[in-house]
Amino acid sequence: MQVIAGAINTVYNWARSNSLWPLTFATSCCGIEMMSVSSANYDIARFGSEVFRGSPRQADLLIVAGTITQKMAPALLKLYEQMAEPKYVIAMGACACSGGMFRENSYSVVRGVDKIIPVDVYLPMCPPTPESLLEAIINLQKKIRTQDIFDRDDEIKAHKSRLKFDIDQKDLLICIDDDKYFEIEVG
Amino acid sequence: MNYFNISYFPDYVYIPLYYLIGFIVVAVLMLFVVLFLVLLERKLLGFFTVRVGPNRVGFHGALQTVADAIKLLFKEDIIPLKADKLLFTLSPILVFAPIMTVWAYIPFNGFFAVQNSVVGSLIFLSLLSFPILGILFAGISSANKYSLLGSLRACAQTLCYELPIFISLLSVVILSGSLDLNDIVSAQSINNNCFGWFIIPSLLGFITFYISSVAMMNRVPFDFPEAESEFVGGYHTEYSGMKFAMFFLAEYASMFILCAFMATIFLGGFLSPFGKYISDFLPLSDLIKTPLIFIEQFFWLILKTMVLVVAVIWTRATLPRLRIDRSLEFFWKLILPLSILNIFIVCLIKLFMGAR
């Protein structure tokens, strides 16, 4: 049984680590760096990730490229929940990692997207260079290759226990109550 | 079918067995062709935009599409709460099945087409108009405004490309005097070289057919049904995992098979452009020579098809997407009159040049 599981894991990890299709999602200046990563100088296509999907249903990788404001947070969570498993998140830029330069005195910025969604790879810098985004993708691939197909449920549970709100209580796929959502403690 | 008829099996074993073999051949060929085409497109797009393209998985990225296929197989299958579950599940099949069926009608070489038909070319194009039903159902059943708009656009576009494509086919039918694809190919072997191909008398028809078939494949510059910059993903916005993969598969399968059809009716199909085959020059007995010629004919058809496929990908890399109203105008006001004009030209050629 363990042999079969190991074989499945090898094939599955090889496949999903080599075809990370990112979601077209860019909220600010990091988005420009994310766009240039698919240009000729850097070429994200080498890793099989140039297939930027418009629809979250078909994407595997959510690159949070830029500042997430509280107004944007419900949309981000909605997009994440709409993505099909297995899904991964790269927090790109200082703002997405921790709030960045808006961390101290801002009334509107979420202090790090890990308050809302689970993050696989943190990529600080303001903004990160395209090379470092490539490195983040390579690191994510390395991380995926060590994962176990059966551990995914535990990861989701662990993430939910870290959150300060209960995702399961609301029917996120249909509507999100914005007012309620602002009650999340951020910062 | 006659070639196999020398078998010892009775009919009730032989006929199902024949179609089973045909199905397996088509299915395997299609899977490999699609995996190859997606890779070819990504590599070529990389080439056209001065990039490298996938090169990490396998030898120079050769296994990239295999990884994609396995990943899509394992991906979560989401059905939206408000979706019509039956139609939502049915529509990828409705798109995929007709496109797989038409693979049977292409004569891949002198003796092998899975299904020979007297009206082969007509059945081919008629079956290829079916996927629009699947696209329409996908848009309606997804309970998503982008899907609905995308599928409505697909319908509007279907009306405008179906007419020129059939009229362009008509010019070939006039020239060959038959709807059978085998007869159309053999009618092009009159001169015994590439000057007998129907692309020469019906060049305008070839151009209108090519443009209309690019629209039929839903590819840039006519990819309104899934215009990513306008409506998220068009009719397949809500599809994930294997259902999306079936749309994906159907798109590339139809791209290949339409190019093969174009090669068959305009570029001489499986005929060699020089009239003679390499095996003709070798001192071999007929028993060995005939299969060798068949292999060579298959090679010629694939070569011509690949040239057209590369042209389609090149078109995609070069042109931006047209606006929907401009595209409809383009088809109704330019392509349709041109294809009708082509009929007159072809009729005149047929009248004065005699039977080509």
Side-chain angles (χ1 to χ4, degrees):
Chain A
M1 189 61 211
Q2 281 199 341
V3 178
I4 299 170
I8 291 175
N9 263 327
T10 315
V11 175
Y12 180 54
N13 286 345
W14 172 78
R16 60 180 179 163
S17 68
N18 282 316
S19 97
L20 290 166
W21 294 359
L23 180 67
T24 319
F25 180 79
T27 44
S28 54
C29 39
C30 290
I32 307 295
E33 304 293 323
M34 192 178 81
M35 287 167 216
S36 68
V37 90
S38 59
S39 69
N41 282 356
Y42 307 104
D43 196 14
I44 199 176
R46 290 177 291 149
F47 307 96
S49 303
E50 89 273 38
V51 195
F52 277 87
R53 301 308 310 182
S55 163
R57 302 278 189 216
Q58 297 145 15
D60 312 295
L61 174 61
L62 176 59
I63 302 176
V64 187
T67 322
I68 299 298
T69 55
Q70 289 185 355
K71 199 79 171 169
M72 191 65 197
L76 175 68
L77 182 56
K78 196 172 175 181
L79 280 175
Y80 180 75
E81 291 293 319
Q82 278 175 339
M83 282 166 71
E85 289 282 349
K87 48 192 174 185
Y88 311 97
V89 179
I90 291 179
M92 183 183 177
C95 303
C97 288
S98 64
M101 60 180 171
F102 307 106
R103 190 178 174 84
E104 290 304 319
N105 295 310
S106 174
Y107 57 90
S108 65
V109 172
V110 177
R111 268 77 167 166
V113 286
D114 52 358
K115 298 269 189 309
I116 308 165
I117 54 177
V119 176
D120 288 291
V121 175
Y122 292 90
L123 175 58
M125 284 196 268
C126 187
T129 54
E131 292 95 330
S132 52
L133 180 55
L134 286 180
E135 199 197 346
I137 287 171
I138 294 169
N139 280 333
L140 179 60
Q141 287 183 339
K142 281 180 189 161
K143 183 184 174 183
I144 291 168
R145 283 182 197 129
T146 62
Q147 277 177 344
D148 192 317
I149 186 172
F150 302 108
D151 287 351
R152 184 67 192 172
D153 281 348
D154 300 338
E155 282 174 36
I156 296 169
K157 269 178 203 158
H159 164 64
K160 277 178 185 167
S161 66
R162 281 198 299 274
L163 290 179
K164 291 182 178 174
F165 56 96
D166 192 357
I167 291 185
D168 296 332
Q169 274 191 354
K170 280 177 285 184
D171 213 343
L172 286 163
L173 289 184
I174 293 176
C175 67
I176 288 184
D177 197 345
D178 282 13
D179 290 325
K180 260 188 189 169
Y181 211 85
F182 283 145
E183 287 172 11
I184 308 165
E185 200 188 338
V186 281
Chain B
M1 199 159 168
N2 291 329
Y3 195 85
F4 293 109
N5 228 345
I6 47 172
S7 59
Y8 310 108
F9 300 116
D11 262 7
Y12 62 87
V13 178
Y14 161 71
I15 290 174
L17 196 69
Y18 175 80
Y19 285 111
L20 188 69
I21 292 170
F23 170 77
I24 291 168
V25 167
V26 163
V28 171
L29 189 66
M30 186 160 90
L31 193 65
F32 278 101
V33 160
V34 168
L35 285 179
F36 174 70
L37 277 194
V38 179
L39 182 69
L40 179 78
E41 174 166 28
R42 287 168 76 169
K43 279 297 221 187
L44 276 180
L45 282 180
F47 172 72
F48 289 132
T49 49
V50 209
R51 292 184 288 115
V52 189
N55 72 346
R56 284 295 190 279
V57 197
F59 178 72
H60 285 268
L63 294 176
Q64 181 63 52
T65 43
V66 180
D68 285 340
I70 296 174
K71 181 211 71 180
L72 283 170
L73 204 70
F74 275 100
K75 207 119 165 82
E76 185 187 3
D77 187 39
I78 297 177
I79 297 179
L81 275 178
K82 284 185 179 172
D84 185 332
K85 286 186 183 55
L86 180 67
L87 275 186
F88 191 80
T89 319
L90 207 60
S91 44
I93 303 167
L94 268 177
V95 172
F96 183 70
I99 288 172
M100 190 167 170
T101 314
V102 297
W103 279 62
Y105 288 92
I106 293 288
F108 283 108
N109 53 32
F111 88 107
F112 184 71
V114 178
Q115 176 67 59
N116 285 316
S117 169
V118 188
V119 285
S121 55
L122 198 60
I123 290 183
F124 184 95
L125 284 186
S126 313
L127 275 173
L128 273 186
S129 357
F130 266 99
I132 191 64
L133 279 179
I135 290 174
L136 184 61
F137 289 157
I140 291 172
S141 63
S142 300
N144 182 321
K145 57 193 170 201
Y146 300 112
S147 302
L148 187 60
L149 281 171
S151 63
L152 289 180
R153 273 191 177 190
C155 292
Q157 207 194 0
T158 306
L159 293 177
C160 69
Y161 69 67
E162 288 287 355
L163 274 174
I165 214 168
F166 274 94
I167 292 173
S168 311
L169 173 69
L170 206 56
S171 68
V172 171
V173 172
I174 289 170
L175 283 169
S176 68
S178 171
L179 283 164
D180 191 340
L181 283 170
N182 284 311
D183 289 354
I184 290 176
V185 172
S186 55
Q188 298 179 64
S189 66
I190 298 287
N191 282 0
N192 238 348
N193 56 26
C194 55
F195 295 109
W197 296 354
F198 288 154
I199 189 174
I200 294 170
S202 171
L203 180 62
L204 202 55
F206 176 73
I207 293 167
T208 49
F209 195 99
Y210 174 81
I211 293 173
S212 316
S213 59
V214 169
M216 200 178 218
M217 303 165 202
N218 285 339
R219 292 186 67 79
V220 180
F222 306 112
D223 66 334
F224 316 105
E226 47 190 306
E228 277 198 359
S229 51
E230 292 165 45
F231 339 106
V232 192
Y235 60 89
H236 58 59
T237 303
E238 291 289 345
Y239 284 87
S240 69
M242 218 38 221
K243 286 177 187 149
F244 168 66
M246 280 180 86
F247 282 123
F248 208 63
L249 211 66
E251 185 185 329
Y252 284 89
S254 75
M255 174 169 140
F256 182 83
I257 207 62
L258 263 169
C259 287
F261 186 71
M262 256 189 286
T264 304
I265 64 174
F266 286 109
L267 299 178
F270 51 76
L271 298 173
S272 157
F274 316 112
K276 294 240 174 201
Y277 299 98
I278 300 169
S279 336
D280 285 338
F281 299 106
L282 300 176
L284 295 168
S285 67
D286 276 359
L287 201 65
I288 309 171
K289 214 163 97 174
T290 320
L292 275 180
I293 286 181
F294 288 145
I295 290 169
E296 226 173 308
Q297 285 177 333
F298 183 70
F299 164 76
W300 281 118
L301 180 71
I302 296 294
L303 185 71
K304 288 166 188 173
T305 310
M306 288 325 286
V307 169
L308 287 170
V309 164
V310 170
V312 170
I313 294 171
W314 195 356
T315 317
R316 181 200 160 153
T318 310
L319 294 176
R321 182 167 48 245
L322 287 167
R323 226 169 61 193
I324 177 77
D325 58 328
R326 292 290 171 85
S327 156
L328 297 184
E329 266 179 31
F330 175 71
F331 273 108
W332 285 114
K333 293 183 180 170
L334 188 68
I335 298 297
L336 183 58
L338 275 184
S339 57
I340 294 171
L341 176 69
N342 176 54
I343 291 273
F344 285 108
I345 295 172
V346 162
C347 285
L348 287 177
I349 289 174
K350 177 92 176 172
L351 194 64
F352 291 113
M353 308 284 235
R356 285 182 55 93

